[in-house]
């Protein structure tokens, strides 16, 4: 009898099943059940095959009769007939191409069938020969769109940029599975990724890449398309030129082009050395330059987080839970900055709420000392530049963030006037997400940053680098201008949950893209020095 499959192998088949069900258009919950079963199998210490043989596998919570039946078949015969059948009928390569062309999974298979195309190559050939017109339901407009997409296929790009956290979460496990490292835009911590790449030294990398559950098709030799339709480029390098290939695949294109021709090097350090250029952190590889980098701020420099929410407004955790989590991250302090009433869509704190929250924060401080939970607020800036809470309420607080939420579309003059007026309030310490963008949803506002920098220098108000993945505001270019003007920044998470505190990494790397050093960052200071640095100093 054949050896029992190991848990990892069983999990891999369940993941493949989930991917196929998803492509075949099964309900989200059905596909999800298989993904969860795969996670469960991976996390189970005992050999799952033995549990299956003993008829005990349903003791694992989340394994129902349907999954049990398929597991029994897998252990018994080494395969799952229905999965093989799905792989034949769903045609992952066709579906992968179809996703790229903007067709649903079902429609991709229908069109391929009507064209008599068994492979993506057949599909492309038939389309270019003008045969799409003969497919029922495809008119001249649709045909033109598909042909245009096929032209773009030479350099596949996602339809719009992937958020940084999603891009890294997508690439990291793929890189690990093919024995490679993350490159492309995410390695530079670009706020929105269009070029996703992995560089590997491993000769089997391409083969493993093809068989990953995340990759449904390889469209032009080395570019895989994920289930979500995102292209991922795989570069297989020789040991002698790994550094060169990594540098090239990291980009930006303009930065690399200005360094070409690149010498061969096993590491990036070797390549830079041969070029006679100081090593450059990936975050600074946007515009071409050959400068020596300053000592950029690091995550370990951050002493506290100055912007987070709790259940008092729209957060998911209590004051104490957020404080504990921040202490566990090694911070010395955390400012609780819930919303004020004018924010509208979510609950905001009145003057009375602020006082009552202060009592809760005092109790948390007793439990967490010497860690400090700071009494803060994210106070809305009203349309006339006044603040949403009275000065005597703000005066009691340790840290006041001022934020524009409504009225982002005001013309530059009005919005800037409104903002700097709020910055001149004696209790405001930091301006939140100054440019107000939501990546892929809302463009930046018209705020005049030069004027804001001027007022920041006069008043001592810091500017936030907000670490929410769809904000990252200020962005790198703006941080650089702020730092050059001598304005201090604060790296914050704007966390709405314990997990959200982890976005500090995104804020720090965004600050690094702006050439910021620890000296530019207010919350790289201990709180005692921070609070002593009163406004205007
Ligand atoms: Zn806000
Ligand atoms: Zn906030």
């Amino acid at each position: 009898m054949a050896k029992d499959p190991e848990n990892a192998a069983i999990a891999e088949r369940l993941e493949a099943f989930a991917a196929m069900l998803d492509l075949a258009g099964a309900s989200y919950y059905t596909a999800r059940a298989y993904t969860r079963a795969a996670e469960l199998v991976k996390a189970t210490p005992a050999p799952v095959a033995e549990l299956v043989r003993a008829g005990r596998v349903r003791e694992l919570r989340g394994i129902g009769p349907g999954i049990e039946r398929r597991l029994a078949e897998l252990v018994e015969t080494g395969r799952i007939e229905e999965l093989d059948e799905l792989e034949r009928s769903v045609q992952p390569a066709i579906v992968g191409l179809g996703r790229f062309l903007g067709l649903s999974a079902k429609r991709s298979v229908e069109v391929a069938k009507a064209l008599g195309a068994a492979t993506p190559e057949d599909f492309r050939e038939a389309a270019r020969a003008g045969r799409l017109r003969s497919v029922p339901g495809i008119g001249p407009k649709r045909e033109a769109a598909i042909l245009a997409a096929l032209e773009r296929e030479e350099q596949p790009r996602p339809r719009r940029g992937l958020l940084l956290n999603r891009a890294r979460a997508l690439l990291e496990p793929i890189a690990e599975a093919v024995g490679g490292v993350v490159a492309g835009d995410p390695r530079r911590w670009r706020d929105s990724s269009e070029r996703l790449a992995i560089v590997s030294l491993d000769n089997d990398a391409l083969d493993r890449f093809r068989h990953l559950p995340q990759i449904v098709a390889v469209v032009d030799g080395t570019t895989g398309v994920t289930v979500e339709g995102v292209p991922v480029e795989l570069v297989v390098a020789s040991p002698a030129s790994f550094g060169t290939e990594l540098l090239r695949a990291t980009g930006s294109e303009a930065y690399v082009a200005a360094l070409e021709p690149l010498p061969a090097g096993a590491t990036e350090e070797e390549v830079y050395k041969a070029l006679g250029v100081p090593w450059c952190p990936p975050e600074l590889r946007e515009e071409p330059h050959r400068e020596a980098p300053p000592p950029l701020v690091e995550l370990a420099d951050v002493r506290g987080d100055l912007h987070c929410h709790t259940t008092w407004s729209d957060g998911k955790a209590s004051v104490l839970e957020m404080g504990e989590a921040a202490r566990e991250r090694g911070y010395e302090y955390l400012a609780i900055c819930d919303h004020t009433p004018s924010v509208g869509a979510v609950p905001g704190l009145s003057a009375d709420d602020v006082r009552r929250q202060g009592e809760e924060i005092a109790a948390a401080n007793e439990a967490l000392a010497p860690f400090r939970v700071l009494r803060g607020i994210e106070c809305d800036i009203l349309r006339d530049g006044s603040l949403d809470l009275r000065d005597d309420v703000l005066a009691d607080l340790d840290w006041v963030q001022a934020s524009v939420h409504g009225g982002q579309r005001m013309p530059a003059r009005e919005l800037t006037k409104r903002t700097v007026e709020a910055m001149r309030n004696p209790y405001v310490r930091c301006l939140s997400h100054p440019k107000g963008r939501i990546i892929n949803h809302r463009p930046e506002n018209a705020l005049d940053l030069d004027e804001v920098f001027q007022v920041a220098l006069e008043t001592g108000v810091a500017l936030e680098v907000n670490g929410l993945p769809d904000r990252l505001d200020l962005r790198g270019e703006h941080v650089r201008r702020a730092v050059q003007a001598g304005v201090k920044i604060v790296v914050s998470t704007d966390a709405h949950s314990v997990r959200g505190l982890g976005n500090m990494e995104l804020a720090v790397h965004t600050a690094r893209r702006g050439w910021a050093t620890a000296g530019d960052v207010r919350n790289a200071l201990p709180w005692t020095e921070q609070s002593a640095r009163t406004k205007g100093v």
Side-chain angles (χ1 to χ4, degrees):
M1 195 174 61
K3 216 168 114 249
D4 273 345
E6 290 186 12
N7 288 3
I10 294 176
E12 189 272 323
R13 290 283 78 195
L14 291 175
E15 272 164 10
F17 207 131
M20 284 303 131
L21 285 170
D22 179 49
L23 290 175
S27 86
Y28 169 79
Y29 296 99
T30 312
R32 181 82 192 115
Y34 280 86
T35 311
R36 286 167 79 149
E39 284 162 8
L40 196 65
V41 166
K42 267 190 275 186
T44 302
V48 167
E50 276 178 29
L51 292 177
V52 172
R53 287 189 190 286
R56 291 181 47 204
V57 74
R58 283 176 68 188
E59 288 171 21
L60 300 176
R61 267 182 56 198
I63 304 265
I67 297 179
E68 181 187 28
R69 190 151 40 79
R70 281 154 187 131
L71 284 175
E73 185 189 348
L74 179 62
V75 171
E76 196 77 13
T77 69
R79 36 198 286 272
I80 304 175
E81 175 63 34
E82 201 183 334
L83 175 56
D84 296 348
E85 177 59 34
L86 270 172
E87 278 177 332
R88 275 192 297 273
S89 67
V90 167
Q91 297 174 283
I94 292 279
V95 173
L97 176 65
R99 287 243 164 136
F100 185 74
L101 300 175
L103 300 172
S104 73
K106 192 159 161 270
R107 191 71 183 128
S108 308
V109 174
E110 279 168 12
V111 173
K113 208 168 173 189
L115 291 173
T119 65
E121 287 67 38
D122 297 348
F123 189 109
R124 289 186 194 97
E125 224 168 83
R128 290 192 174 122
R131 287 178 39 219
L132 278 171
R133 261 163 287 167
S134 66
V135 177
I138 294 197
K141 256 175 112 176
R142 191 78 198 154
E143 182 193 19
I146 293 176
L147 287 175
L150 279 175
E151 287 313 306
R152 284 198 312 272
E153 204 194 354
E154 306 305 317
Q155 275 134 16
R157 290 279 190 274
R159 252 161 287 160
R160 60 185 187 187
L162 269 192
L163 294 183
L164 179 54
N165 62 331
R166 292 255 304 104
R168 293 194 67 93
L170 177 71
L171 277 197
E172 278 161 7
I174 297 179
E176 196 181 321
V178 302
V181 297
V182 167
D185 295 340
R187 184 164 177 244
R188 302 197 318 281
W189 298 81
R190 194 164 177 244
D191 45 13
S192 164
S193 291
E194 283 163 20
R195 184 182 182 199
L196 302 171
I198 285 165
V199 184
S200 176
L201 273 175
D202 199 321
N203 284 325
D204 301 330
L206 183 58
D207 198 46
R208 272 191 266 161
F209 186 60
R210 279 179 194 287
H211 292 100
L212 287 177
Q214 296 100 317
I215 300 294
V216 291
V218 173
V219 290
D220 66 350
T222 55
T223 299
V225 176
T226 68
V227 174
E228 302 88 349
V230 178
V232 178
E233 188 187 328
L234 175 70
V235 178
V236 181
S238 70
S241 65
F242 180 79
T244 312
E245 295 303 333
L246 179 59
L247 208 162
R248 274 206 189 101
T250 299
S252 70
E253 274 172 45
Y255 173 85
V256 174
L259 292 179
E260 294 277 7
L262 297 183
T267 62
E268 280 190 341
E269 286 81 354
E270 266 183 44
V271 178
Y272 277 100
K273 203 166 165 209
L275 286 169
V277 174
W279 149 263
C280 181
E283 293 95 329
L284 302 188
R285 301 183 197 168
E286 289 301 324
E287 301 306 318
H289 72 90
R290 293 175 176 237
E291 281 171 62
L296 299 180
V297 60
E298 289 177 18
L299 191 56
D301 294 323
V302 177
R303 305 251 192 160
D305 195 335
L306 288 168
H307 184 170
C308 80
H309 296 264
T310 70
T311 46
W312 281 83
S313 62
D314 56 344
K316 292 200 184 87
S318 69
V319 168
L320 184 62
E321 285 164 342
M322 293 301 281
E324 274 170 346
R327 190 176 65 169
E328 263 164 45
R329 288 186 176 272
Y331 293 148
E332 297 164 14
Y333 52 90
L334 172 75
I336 305 294
C337 295
D338 281 308
H339 288 290
T340 56
S342 289
V343 71
V346 301
L349 274 62
S350 66
D352 194 45
D353 295 329
V354 171
R355 263 189 297 276
R356 288 192 295 124
Q357 189 186 52
E359 287 162 22
E360 190 172 325
I361 290 175
N365 273 321
E366 270 179 36
L368 299 174
F371 180 87
R372 283 283 307 267
V373 182
L374 303 168
R375 291 184 66 194
I377 197 81
E378 179 175 12
C379 190
D380 261 56
I381 301 175
L382 306 183
R383 297 211 172 224
D384 64 357
S386 65
L387 290 165
D388 203 15
L389 289 173
R390 293 189 321 266
D391 277 6
D392 65 302
V393 180
L394 300 178
D396 272 350
L397 301 176
D398 299 308
W399 184 257
V400 176
Q401 293 269 148
S403 305
V404 168
H405 286 126
Q408 291 281 0
R409 291 194 192 170
M410 279 180 161
R413 271 196 55 194
E414 281 171 62
L415 182 66
T416 307
K417 186 161 171 278
R418 167 188 181 192
T419 304
V420 300
E421 203 151 304
M423 290 168 75
R424 291 187 196 281
N425 175 291
Y427 303 107
V428 169
R429 303 291 298 271
C430 182
L431 179 65
S432 321
H433 41 71
K435 292 298 283 179
R437 69 166 175 178
I438 306 290
I439 300 173
N440 291 336
H441 290 285
R442 189 166 75 200
E444 291 184 339
N445 63 33
L447 188 71
D448 178 346
L449 283 179
D450 289 320
E451 196 175 333
V452 167
F453 294 158
Q454 204 51 51
V455 176
L457 288 176
E458 285 165 28
T459 58
V461 169
L463 299 192
E464 181 180 68
V465 178
N466 186 298
L468 286 175
D470 57 357
R471 285 196 182 268
L472 301 180
D473 176 10
L474 299 175
R475 62 180 156 92
E477 295 88 329
H478 294 152
V479 172
R480 189 162 194 202
R481 282 169 55 197
V483 164
Q484 279 171 342
V487 170
K488 298 297 180 199
I489 59 169
V490 170
V491 284
S492 292
T493 61
D494 201 350
H496 287 67
S497 65
V498 163
R499 193 156 163 246
L501 292 169
N503 286 332
M504 186 58 84
E505 180 180 60
L506 303 182
V508 167
H509 285 278
T510 300
R512 289 167 62 90
R513 285 172 59 82
W515 298 62
T517 66
D520 299 312
V521 177
R522 275 279 162 85
N523 51 329
L525 290 173
W527 176 248
T528 44
E529 280 176 51
Q530 167 79 255
S531 58
R533 203 162 288 209
T534 49
K535 293 195 55 169
V537 176

